Amino acid sequence: VADPPSKLSEEQVRTRIKDLPGWHSKNGGLSRNFEFKDFIEAFGFMARVALLAEAQAHHPEWTNVYNRVEILLRTHEVDGLTDRDITLAAAISAIA
Amino acid sequence: VADPPSKLSEEQVRTRIKDLPGWHSKNGGLSRNFEFKDFIEAFGFMARVALLAEAQAHHPEWTNVYNRVEILLRTHEVDGLTDRDITLAAAISAIA
């Protein structure tokens, strides 16, 4: 098991978010809302994110209501954001 | 398109819930929390529920955090519960 990653400072988070269009700070995490044509598209997206998340061993907190998906990323071990969240956010954006 | 189903009365909801162990009333809907071994098991369950929901043309509001899934069922057209929710709840219980 790798060492826990280090927590990003508020300044680091602000800087990193600039490179992640659509993502914003929420409840100490990194959040983004996605909207799709219908449930099939929304769940198809979720299935792709699930595979990514499992491969990165870092998982989103997320809610789905029909064609909408809200994702919240954070790293529980540090009670904040780490590079893991930034990496996963960028990967999710790439497939959205 | 079928007629919208009729809204169940509070009395009807109380009666129907007795046949749905684990489900409870929440925010005017029908809710149940599921816990699995890990994310793979949780998302595998969600994929099965997604296929069921799409086939029934009735979709859950749900949240997943790692190995936990919280499901809320309700019928927006009637702002409450209908037979559609009861049917989907029973189907979800059967695969959990």
Side-chain angles (χ1 to χ4, degrees):
Chain A
V1 175
D3 289 336
S6 51
K7 181 173 178 169
L8 299 175
S9 67
E10 287 187 28
E11 177 61 31
Q12 286 173 313
V13 170
R14 270 194 297 275
T15 304
R16 302 296 207 91
I17 281 183
K18 287 181 190 153
D19 297 327
L20 295 169
W23 293 87
H24 57 278
S25 285
K26 184 177 176 184
N27 299 339
L30 196 57
S31 179
R32 186 171 167 186
N33 296 302
F34 297 88
E35 194 168 329
F36 301 90
K37 185 169 70 79
D38 54 24
F39 178 74
I40 291 179
E41 297 290 329
F43 197 79
F45 165 74
M46 291 177 74
R48 297 176 73 186
V49 171
L51 296 175
L52 265 179
E54 187 62 23
Q56 297 186 7
H58 192 56
H59 304 84
E61 300 176 21
W62 49 357
T63 297
N64 161 241
V65 181
Y66 194 58
N67 67 329
R68 287 176 287 123
V69 180
E70 179 178 3
I71 296 185
L72 181 70
L73 305 178
R74 57 183 155 188
T75 302
H76 292 271
E77 297 100 305
V78 304
D79 191 25
L81 291 168
T82 65
D83 279 336
R84 289 181 190 169
D85 301 296
I86 305 297
T87 301
L88 184 54
I92 291 171
S93 287
I95 64 172
Chain B
V1 176
D3 287 337
S6 52
K7 180 172 176 169
L8 299 174
S9 68
E10 286 187 27
E11 177 60 31
Q12 286 173 312
V13 170
R14 270 194 297 274
T15 304
R16 303 297 207 89
I17 281 183
K18 287 180 190 153
D19 296 326
L20 294 169
W23 294 86
H24 57 277
S25 285
K26 184 177 175 183
N27 300 336
L30 195 57
S31 179
R32 185 170 167 187
N33 296 303
F34 298 88
E35 192 167 330
F36 301 89
K37 185 170 68 80
D38 54 25
F39 178 75
I40 290 179
E41 297 291 329
F43 198 80
F45 164 74
M46 292 177 74
R48 297 176 73 185
V49 171
L51 297 174
L52 266 179
E54 187 62 22
Q56 298 187 6
H58 192 58
H59 304 83
E61 300 176 21
W62 50 357
T63 297
N64 161 241
V65 180
Y66 193 59
N67 66 328
R68 288 176 287 125
V69 179
E70 179 178 3
I71 295 185
L72 180 72
L73 304 178
R74 57 183 155 187
T75 303
H76 291 271
E77 298 98 305
V78 304
D79 192 26
L81 291 168
T82 66
D83 280 336
R84 289 182 191 168
D85 301 297
I86 305 298
T87 302
L88 185 54
I92 290 171
S93 286
I95 64 174

